[in-house]
């Protein structure tokens, strides 16, 4: 029996099983098996086959953004507009047959943009190279779901269903769970909140399903699905071709959460999309300064929001932390400028730092 048949059998058993306290353990185990099989769908096949063109590309730049959507929604046109890479665009479907990378240069950062082939309904089961497309989307920091504004919400619902079926939960907070495997000592479980939807026994059964016999788990939230290999990603819904719909429909789509409206044909609202993409990626620019000289505003260090002085030192040189004495920081993260800080000081966007060594 193949993986697809096993998934269908488990889904049928879940649908015909009554949900009550007597069956909660059984349903939990079924969901754990279902999540494991769905994750195996995206794993490359171990059997030898004909060698073909590679699909994934090496991760580069400061962040990675993946374009995902149905055929002929404007992904290749968007890549050509935002980067110097020319991706073939035509009026027929499936113009793009492999992953085409490009680089967006914005505020000193290099953001890798991936133009993925259009997926179709049933992509999670492997139709139309859907498994490869979704597997690449899992490696991205942000997923741009390109949608055709003329087709309403049908495409959005279908794509969300396909991604959720392989364990990608978009724009949802990750459950606050700490998990650490051990070499021995059995399973140790603690919870800081009341147990309402699961119990310690159910968590142990789920971990046993993944052959995890020794671990320490601390749960601070009410959802236990994190144990079932879910990836929590950030998604931006982008409605293209808004020049072909009414202004009332444009206003309705623009007011939806995590959504933006653009027109690649008329180059409308692309600057707003870039700005919101920067916020989604949570990137900040840090400028360096030598003693007695002006700051270098032409070469910024790109970091993630929440980065400390120690992270900046590691980015400059791996041995700088060992020689670190203190740092002078100018910017919004300080009470006064310059402020003498240590390694734990949190940097903010467009701060200037001068590192003093021992």
């Amino acid at each position: 029996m193949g993986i697809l048949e096993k998934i269908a059998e488990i889904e049928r058993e879940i649908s015909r099983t009554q949900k009550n306290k007597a069956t909660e353990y059984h349903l939990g185990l079924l969901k754990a098996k279902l999540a494991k099989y769905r994750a195996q769908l995206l794993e490359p096949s171990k059997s030898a086959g004909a060698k073909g063109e590679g699909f994934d590309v090496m991760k580069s730049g400061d962040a990675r953004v993946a374009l995902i959507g149905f055929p002929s929604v404007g992904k290749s046109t968007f890549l050509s507009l935002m980067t110097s890479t020319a991706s073939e665009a035509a009026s027929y479907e499936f113009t793009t047959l492999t992953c085409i990378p490009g680089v967006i240069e914005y505020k000193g950062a290099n953001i890798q943009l991936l133009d993925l082939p259009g997926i179709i309904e049933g992509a999670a089961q492997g139709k139309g190279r859907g498994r490869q497309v979704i597997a690449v989307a899992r490696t991205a920091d942000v997923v741009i779901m390109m949608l055709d504004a003329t087709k309403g919400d049908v495409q959005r619902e279908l794509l969300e269903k396909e991604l959720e079926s392989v364990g990608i939960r978009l724009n949802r907070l990750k459950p606050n769970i700490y998990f650490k495997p051990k070499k021995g000592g059995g399973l140790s479980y603690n919870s800081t909140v009341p147990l309402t939807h699961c119990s310690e026994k159910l968590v142990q059964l789920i971990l046993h399903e993944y052959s995890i016999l020794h671990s320490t788990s601390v749960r601070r939230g009410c959802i236990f699905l994190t144990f079932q290999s879910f990836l929590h990603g950030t998604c931006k819904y982008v409605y293209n071709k808004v020049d072909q719909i009414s202004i009332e429909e444009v206003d309705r789509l623009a007011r939806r959460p995590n959504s933006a409206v653009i027109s690649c044909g008329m180059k409308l609202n692309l600057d707003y999309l870039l700005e919101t993409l920067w916020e989604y990626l949570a990137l900040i620019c840090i400028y360096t300064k030598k003693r007695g000289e002006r700051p270098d505003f032409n070469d910024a260090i790109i970091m993630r929001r929440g980065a400390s002085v120690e992270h900046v030192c590691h980015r400059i040189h791996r041995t700088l932390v060992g020689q670190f004495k203190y740092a002078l920081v100018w910017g919004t993260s300080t009470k006064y400028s310059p402020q003498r800080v240590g390694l734990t000081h949190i940097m903010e966007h467009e701060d200037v730092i001068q590192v003093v060594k021992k």
Side-chain angles (χ1 to χ4, degrees):
M1 183 182 293
I3 296 179
L4 292 176
E5 289 78 9
K6 292 179 180 178
I7 290 177
E9 184 180 353
I10 293 176
E11 288 177 342
R12 285 194 298 268
E13 186 171 353
I14 291 177
S15 63
R16 63 173 177 257
T17 302
Q18 294 183 354
K19 296 176 177 61
N20 51 54
K21 288 187 176 181
T23 61
E24 62 180 8
Y25 298 118
H26 179 62
L27 289 173
L29 286 176
L30 290 177
K31 290 179 181 179
K33 291 180 180 179
L34 188 62
K36 185 170 70 171
Y37 288 142
R38 283 173 174 171
Q40 291 176 1
L41 279 177
L42 301 182
E43 296 178 359
S45 177
K46 297 181 180 179
S47 59
K51 293 185 178 180
E53 185 180 2
F55 193 86
D56 196 8
V57 295
M58 182 179 296
K59 192 170 185 177
S60 63
D62 301 297
R64 169 179 275 197
V65 177
L67 287 171
I68 192 171
F70 285 96
S72 298
V73 294
K75 299 187 297 298
S76 299
T77 305
F78 180 78
L79 178 76
S80 301
L81 286 174
M82 306 304 291
T83 70
S84 58
T85 303
S87 181
E88 183 181 357
S91 57
Y92 54 87
E93 295 185 348
F94 298 105
T95 310
T96 304
L97 300 177
T98 186
C99 180
I100 300 178
V103 177
I104 301 175
E105 296 180 357
Y106 186 69
K107 293 185 178 180
N110 292 325
I111 303 172
Q112 186 182 43
L113 183 65
L114 301 181
D115 179 18
L116 300 175
I119 64 175
I120 59 177
E121 190 174 358
Q125 284 73 38
K127 295 182 180 179
R129 303 195 74 177
R131 295 183 192 175
Q132 294 96 320
V133 172
I134 296 176
V136 175
R138 289 174 68 101
T139 66
D141 299 300
V142 172
V143 173
I144 291 182
M145 189 178 291
M146 191 70 72
L147 305 167
D148 191 340
T150 62
K151 297 185 179 180
D153 299 327
V154 178
Q155 290 186 344
R156 177 171 176 170
E157 295 172 357
L158 290 175
L159 284 175
E160 286 179 341
K161 181 181 177 181
E162 294 294 333
L163 296 179
E164 183 112 3
S165 66
V166 291
I168 301 179
R169 308 176 68 186
L170 300 174
N171 298 327
R172 301 187 192 178
L173 292 177
K174 190 174 183 179
N176 194 355
I177 293 179
Y178 170 79
F179 173 77
K180 182 180 179 180
K182 299 187 300 184
K183 294 183 179 180
L187 296 173
S188 175
Y189 178 83
N190 294 299
S191 177
T192 60
V193 294
L195 299 177
T196 57
H197 291 81
C198 72
S199 63
E200 180 178 354
K201 180 181 177 182
L202 178 57
V203 173
Q204 292 177 353
L205 291 174
I206 293 174
L207 292 175
H208 282 159
E209 182 65 30
Y210 286 87
S211 300
I212 300 175
L213 304 178
H214 309 282
S215 69
T216 300
S217 304
V218 178
R219 201 185 78 168
R220 305 181 184 92
C222 60
I223 302 175
F224 69 93
L225 292 176
T226 298
F227 287 107
Q228 300 177 13
S229 298
F230 273 100
L231 175 71
H232 292 71
T234 303
C235 176
K236 184 70 175 178
Y237 303 98
V238 178
Y239 293 91
N240 190 21
K241 306 179 183 179
V242 295
D243 54 305
Q244 302 177 17
I245 59 177
S246 63
I247 190 65
E248 292 80 12
E249 183 68 9
V250 172
D251 183 68
R252 186 187 71 85
L253 295 176
R255 293 179 183 276
R256 299 196 63 179
N258 306 308
S259 299
V261 292
I262 65 169
S263 173
C264 292
M266 300 183 68
K267 300 181 181 179
L268 298 176
N269 214 26
L270 297 179
D271 52 347
Y272 169 75
L273 178 59
L274 264 182
E275 185 64 33
T276 55
L277 186 61
W278 177 271
E279 295 296 327
Y280 272 60
L281 291 170
L283 298 177
I284 59 174
C285 298
I286 307 296
Y287 301 104
T288 57
K289 178 185 178 302
K290 294 182 180 180
R291 180 179 296 178
E293 298 182 10
R294 297 181 64 84
D296 184 8
F297 292 112
N298 296 322
D299 187 14
I301 299 176
I302 306 300
M303 305 292 295
R304 296 284 180 176
R305 191 180 299 141
S308 64
V309 173
E310 183 177 0
H311 297 134
V312 177
C313 292
H314 279 297
R315 179 65 66 88
I316 296 174
H317 197 275
R318 63 180 183 273
T319 62
L320 187 57
V321 174
Q323 305 172 357
F324 180 87
K325 185 176 181 181
Y326 64 90
L328 297 175
V329 176
W330 293 258
T332 57
S333 66
T334 59
K335 296 181 180 179
Y336 48 88
S337 296
Q339 180 176 337
R340 180 169 170 168
V341 299
L343 289 173
T344 58
H345 178 76
I346 302 300
M347 306 293 290
E348 292 186 4
H349 184 50
E350 295 184 341
D351 277 357
V352 176
I353 183 172
Q354 174 185 326
V355 179
V356 179
K357 298 192 292 185
K358 296 178 181 178

